[in-house]
Amino acid sequence: MISSDDKYLFTSDYDNNGHVKQFLVSDGQMINDYGTISKKGIRSITTTPDNKYLFAGVNTGHLKQICLERREVVHDYGRIHADIITCLETTRDSKWLITGSDDMHVKRISVENRQVDRDFGQVCDNEITRMKITADDEKFFVGDEGGHLKLISLI
């Protein structure tokens, strides 16, 4: 994934390595290797718009928060989904993170309080493949494996 300011590219290993690396978009140079975040592999990653934190959705349904400056996991949310976390999106104000999963559920995380503050439940009939928050941070789109798209209120 590319950071919201288009300066950095972050990669993660889907397999059992669970490594996260950071590259400069300008020349492809690797500037940080955050090491193994989860030995179970990572399917999805996103950063806060201010590039302070990276969130990693682990293949086991666990969620981890990494401080990019300190290059370490600063919070483990535990298992918040029953299956692989496939999508992560943060609001522009970094207030919320939304998570989507192969369990077809969406959850909203308070970044400040570091906890799930809303469970939207099962929002699709198929695995969630993509999510996007609207520019006003009030709604989000959810796309699923069956090609369906839903618009849901974030508030």
Side-chain angles (χ1 to χ4, degrees), residues 104-107 119-124:
M104 299 168 275
H105 287 244
V106 172
K107 297 187 180 184
D119 185 345
F120 293 92
Q122 182 176 332
V123 299
C124 299

Side-chain angles (χ1 to χ4, degrees), residues 57-150:
V58 180
N59 294 345
T60 58
H62 289 75
L63 177 68
K64 296 191 178 194
Q65 182 178 355
I66 296 96
C67 175
L68 294 177
E69 184 179 319
R70 296 191 334 233
R71 300 189 331 202
E72 65 185 12
V73 174
V74 292
H75 190 69
D76 185 340
Y77 290 81
R79 189 171 191 201
I80 63 167
H81 282 281
D83 208 337
I84 297 168
I85 297 175
T86 55
C87 302
L88 297 169
E89 284 283 321
T90 54
T91 55
R92 284 158 184 74
D93 62 4
S94 299
K95 182 177 179 179
W96 287 317
L97 168 76
I98 55 171
T99 64
S101 172
D102 274 356
D103 65 11
M104 299 168 275
H105 287 244
V106 172
K107 297 187 180 184
R108 184 181 73 190
I109 310 290
S110 167
V111 175
E112 182 181 350
N113 297 329
R114 293 183 171 167
Q115 62 186 4
V116 174
D117 69 358
R118 182 163 179 197
D119 185 345
F120 293 92
Q122 182 176 332
V123 299
C124 299
D125 293 328
N126 298 288
E127 290 85 358
I128 295 170
T129 57
R130 186 72 175 115
M131 295 188 313
K132 183 67 177 169
I133 297 173
T134 58
D136 61 7
D137 282 342
E138 292 184 4
K139 297 176 183 169
F140 63 96
F141 288 96
V142 177
D144 72 11
E145 194 174 70
H148 303 100
L149 185 67
K150 289 188 178 183

